[in-house]
Amino acid sequence: MSSDKEKVSERYDRWTPFYDLVDNFPFISGFQKRWKRQAVELLDPTSGDKILDMGTGTGEILPWITESMEDGLLVGTDISEGMISKARSRIDDIEKVPEDLEIKVVKDDIGSSKFSNDYFNKMIATFTFTTVPNMGKAASECARILKPGGMMIILDTGKPKNPFGYPLFYPMMLSAKIFGRTHMDRDVEGTVSKKFEVTRVRQNMLGMVYTLRCEKQK
Ligand SMILES: C[S@@+](CC[C@H](N)C(=O)[O-])C[C@H]1O[C@@H](n2cnc3c(N)ncnc32)[C@H](O)[C@@H]1O
């Protein structure tokens, strides 16, 4: 019997050839790209940073993160081999990577990461926390591998704060659960708040899509 982790990685392996097609679908794409761009702006990548993009998928945001970096380290991680190979070819296509900037995509489970304590100073996760098999473990691991004083940006989906959003939320939540193993009904904010100081910095679609800034105490 497959574990939850294997089921998630198999699901995303199967999705790999279509992921960017769906992501670039007219209408959906405009919003998603804008939210992801805004999340990268909040991350504020700077030369010398050590940045982790957790559950990088096809690595869409990796080139955007490199735009303002002259040196440092950028790591994309995922558990799906299919997604990892797509993300690697995306970074191969980046024109002119500064010589002192290292970019890599590696297989790593955020529920039991191989990175050492306090390794990164910035981390980002776009639509990852609602797909990981164990969100509590993922939040603990993020707190372990982020440096004290470091910052993590989370862009994700959840139950709208405004009940007017419920008629849109419940059908979307059920189809995401059935077809995508994505749990939009998770309380990501509540879970990460146990490990970080969390501020909800942005919300869209009546709060169904939100961005969190999570700070680790110095
Ligand atoms: C909905 S996709 C989001 C991909 C990308 N961040 C984006 O915004 O397009 C979620 C990704 O998280 C990955 N993932 C799920 N569980 C994971 C885990 N425990 N560790 C690392 N990556 C994981 C999946 O394989 C998938 O590529």
Side-chain angles (χ1 to χ4, degrees), residues 8 12 19 23 36 53-57 60 77-80 83 108-111 126-128 131-133:
V8 171
Y12 278 98
Y19 191 87
D23 225 30
K36 288 184 191 178
D53 175 23
M54 276 164 288
T56 191
E60 181 178 19
T77 56
D78 210 286
I79 49 169
S80 150
M83 290 294 198
D108 189 55
D109 172 12
I110 194 55
T126 59
F127 305 114
T128 300
T131 61
V132 294

Side-chain angles (χ1 to χ4, degrees), residues 136-170:
K137 265 185 162 179
S140 299
E141 282 294 84
C142 289
R144 181 182 68 75
I145 63 178
L146 183 67
K147 278 194 172 117
M151 187 246 296
M152 169 168 73
I153 298 293
I154 296 177
L155 168 68
D156 224 310
T157 50
K159 193 172 167 186
K161 297 266 182 205
N162 186 330
F164 281 114
Y166 291 178
L168 182 61
F169 171 72
Y170 282 104

Side-chain angles (χ1 to χ4, degrees), residues 107-122:
K107 188 167 186 175
D108 189 55
D109 172 12
I110 194 55
S112 59
S113 176
K114 52 189 174 220
F115 292 101
S116 54
N117 295 356
D118 307 340
Y119 192 78
F120 296 98
N121 69 316
K122 290 179 185 169

